[in-house]
Amino acid sequence: MDYNDFFKQATQLDATYPYQEKLGCRSWPDFLEIPTGLGKTAAVVLAWLYKRTVLQDSNTPRRLVYCLPMRVLAEQTEANIRSWLDNLGGDAANIPVHLLMGGEQDLKSWTLHPEQNAILIGTQDMLLSRALMRGYGMSRYQWPVHFALLHNDALWVFDEVQLMGAGLGTSAQLEAFRRQFKTHGNARTLWVSATLNRQWLNTVDFSEHLANADTLQLAEQEKQLPAVQKRFYAIKRLQQGNAALNAESKKNTCKTYLAALAKHILESHQPQTNTLVILNSVERAQGLMQLLQKQKTTIELLLVHARFRAAERRQLNLAVQNEAQAAGRIIVATQAVEAGVDISSRTLFTELAPWASLVQRFGRCNRAGEYAEGADIFWLDISDDKSAPPYAYSGIEQSRDILRNLDNAASAGLPPVESEQAISHILRRKDFLDLFNTDADLTGFDSDISVFIRDAGSPQLRVFWRDFQGDKPEENQSNHAELCPASIGQIKAYLGKDKQKAFVWDGLGGNWKAVAQNSVYPGMTLLLRCDKGGYSPALGFMADSKTAVEALEHTGDAADSYRGDPDSRPCRDKTIAVLLEAHLAHVAEAAEGLVQTLQSEGGEISAAIVTASAWHDVGKAHEVFQETMLKDTALSAAELWAKSASQARHSRRYFRHELASMLAWLAQGEKSPVHDLIAYLIAAHHGKVRMSLRAMPDEKPPQEQGKRYARGVREGDRLPCLQVNGETLPEIALQLDVMELGETAMGASWTTRTQRLLAEHGPFLLSWYETLVRIADWRASDQEQK
């Protein structure tokens, strides 16, 4: 199919813009800088789809990773993409689209099939945290899988980059690292915006690539097209609003400022049109909405920001896209509608913000030139530097200077974006490599990656509410619909109210653990009590709300823990028993099929992946594991079992069979250049024994003094005779010399071996190899139960 026909069928539009056709038929640029309202999202997604499905272009990665700064943008983008795929029908309609919003439900649906085309959509919090091996809102033991699939054979698209803050520099560093280290398949980045300054990407490792970076923009003749001209020259009268935020007006939670603003909004609103009000703070947006609600007006009122539960936010997104009724509509919003949201207003109020953000906001007014008589924009001054966050006050001052010389915000007459990106933390190569180790430190904490993802003041964790009493909740993990983003400051304010408690899942202990006001950190998912309030369906998260919160329906599995393996026991109490030797053969067969389908790994690496798959569960022959398999079942003790319906826990609290498997391989496996790689792939196949090897903090030592022990495995433990890959392994006594630093009787220490592997293969390929072994295990386990 011709690309023009392909695009028109997908979008149901009569024509394409020349830049859209160019993007679909040429090699990928690094930057796409196109004015707002001209179909950038459709251009990128459909170009990727055309190249993958029609042209079968091998230089176009098979996974499209669409990264957006706001949740409301991610959900709207998902809806648009699904409609385009439905319009195309055929094979395109079957391409999976996944919205990554935290929680475990999105795990295996997109990770089981790395050989398939797929579209992944998410916010920078969700996607960048996964790309840094510290995925927010998900099990730590799945971090390596998401890391591997997001960095290998993936096209990253960062849309509306002017809103990304610290995440923008991180995106540039990650692209530089993918060019430094090897990846599986092609992997590249495309940055998209109407207000793009290339120097924002001038980071320490990407700077050398910036000079040769390719930018696709509108051609001069394209700018003369009637549809483009109508948007470019749409009249947007610009003037300063009556309300201003200063030290005096912000007293008493901005009472004076918000009252003046509410009065001006109601006086300026036009029936049958949208009035859009964009404020820089969720708290101010909530306060304004409460004032407008007290007016008892017939005008429809909507509040849009990022701190709603997914269930309410979905309804809100649908409402925003409806047409205004007779009395019209007032939409109070934060940066959540600054870009990407398909909405246009007749009247726009906006607080001062950096120039790049204001240009985007102006694009929400008279968007397509539909108001021939013109539209009105009122800018609201901020003259108090303490009210500037989340922006730097210097950027607000620069915007004020520009606006004082403008009376029309038509796109054609706006000055270019030349402001510098705010200073933020930059991810160094050493920082990135250190994150490959997923073990928490000895205090139980992880590196704080939030400084590489967002600037301070943005939502950085998620909460959900359940109806329970006491300090020992027995609740399952959250569903997507329950999760509500909140900032660290909001949560601390909530927990400071009457000394409230929140609860976080302890993956080591396998239970919920109370956390106090000063113990919260970015990336957490916190459980809150319904009767303690903190949320309004109309206003979102509100720390001072005491109204009981309605719990949403939930059907989740118990939260993942160090001791459980839900990814390889898909049916839990209904699990069909599987013999160990049969399971080893099944996983090896699945791995062989996977590497053959992908056709990317060299023969030696492919053989290593298959061999690791054949050995991955040898440690299940250990008496501790077999004792667990037999408990409360009628299975024969004369056989060795890989799976059973037993719900018992291991007699040794932290026992990990994959460690026993790895030790058996080190002692009995064939020596070759990939001997240590196979050992690593065996150990890492549940994500719980990877780069380091030490006993758990409260692990009980064996009674016999002087014996090494780690993860429930003790020196001298024996594995019985077993058939593996057509060979008979003799009985073996396990040794733990590799726990020690330096050279040992077993050779180099485990830390030395894994660091050598990281240096030899790089983080992207090493995670890719371990992910293939894990996927082979999942596939075989699923098939066994079917």
Side-chain angles (χ1 to χ4, degrees), residues 30-34 40 66-70 73 124 128 156-169 171-172 189-201 338-340 356-357 360 417 421-422 453-455:
D30 298 291
F31 301 113
L32 180 64
E33 187 177 5
I34 301 296
K40 293 188 294 294
Y66 211 98
C67 183
L68 293 148
M70 304 289 180
L73 305 184
Q124 67 190 75
L128 285 180
W156 278 78
V157 178
F158 290 99
D159 201 354
E160 309 299 358
V161 299
Q162 76 285 345
L163 295 176
M164 287 183 61
L168 187 57
S171 73
T189 301
L190 173 64
W191 289 276
V192 180
S193 179
T195 52
L196 184 63
N197 185 336
R198 287 163 59 113
Q199 290 306 306
W200 293 345
L201 283 299
E338 187 171 305
S357 292
Q360 294 288 342
V417 174
Q421 189 75 345
I453 293 179
R454 277 194 189 273
D455 298 318

Side-chain angles (χ1 to χ4, degrees), residues 687-701:
K688 299 178 182 181
V689 183
R690 296 182 67 250
M691 299 296 289
S692 59
L693 182 56
R694 63 172 186 259
M696 303 306 286
D698 59 345
E699 187 172 353
K700 292 182 179 179

Side-chain angles (χ1 to χ4, degrees), residues 36 70 95 122 149 157 163 167 178 182 201 222 253 260 323 361 504 535 559 572 619 646 668 684 717 735 752 757:
T36 184
M70 304 289 180
I95 290 179
L149 293 174
V157 178
L163 295 176
R178 285 190 289 269
K182 292 181 180 178
L201 283 299
E222 204 166 355
T253 62
E323 290 187 7
R361 296 180 188 189
V504 66
Y535 186 79
R572 297 182 65 78
S646 171
Q668 296 178 318
D717 285 351
Q735 300 298 316
T752 298
L757 290 171

Side-chain angles (χ1 to χ4, degrees), residues 742-758:
E743 200 70 15
T744 71
M746 295 176 66
S749 69
W750 183 245
T751 299
T752 298
R753 294 172 195 248
T754 55
Q755 289 299 322
R756 284 176 183 169
L757 290 171
L758 184 58

Side-chain angles (χ1 to χ4, degrees), residues 68-79:
L68 293 148
M70 304 289 180
R71 294 170 72 100
V72 64
L73 305 184
E75 290 166 333
Q76 179 181 286
T77 300
E78 179 199 21

